[in-house]
Amino acid sequence: MSSTNVSALSDHCDKQIAETQKLIADYPHERAALERVIKGWRATKRRHLALINNIQPKEPA
């Protein structure tokens, strides 16, 4: 996967996290649920980046 796609994936997850954090300010009574959503986006980002890093071929020594 190209570095552009990795960057786009990371940017998308970061954007979703930021938007969800803004929602906490507007809907403080939903804080617990929105924090679980943020946790899920962070896990998705970690999982996809780990998968991408494991698939890429290693550099020759």
Side-chain angles (χ1 to χ4, degrees):
M1 183 173 273
S2 72
S3 63
T4 303
N5 291 342
V6 173
S7 179
L9 171 74
S10 181
D11 290 346
H12 177 72
C13 289
D14 290 340
K15 180 181 175 190
Q16 294 301 317
I17 291 167
E19 287 180 12
T20 306
Q21 287 172 333
K22 289 178 186 175
L23 288 174
I24 291 173
D26 294 336
Y27 303 99
H29 59 284
E30 297 292 346
R31 181 179 198 91
L34 292 169
E35 285 179 351
R36 286 192 300 272
V37 171
I38 291 170
K39 184 178 179 181
W41 276 112
R42 287 181 177 147
T44 298
K45 181 179 175 181
R46 278 192 312 272
R47 190 168 46 250
H48 281 82
L49 292 178
L51 180 65
I52 290 165
N53 288 333
N54 289 334
I55 290 176
Q56 291 178 346
K58 295 182 180 177
E59 295 294 327

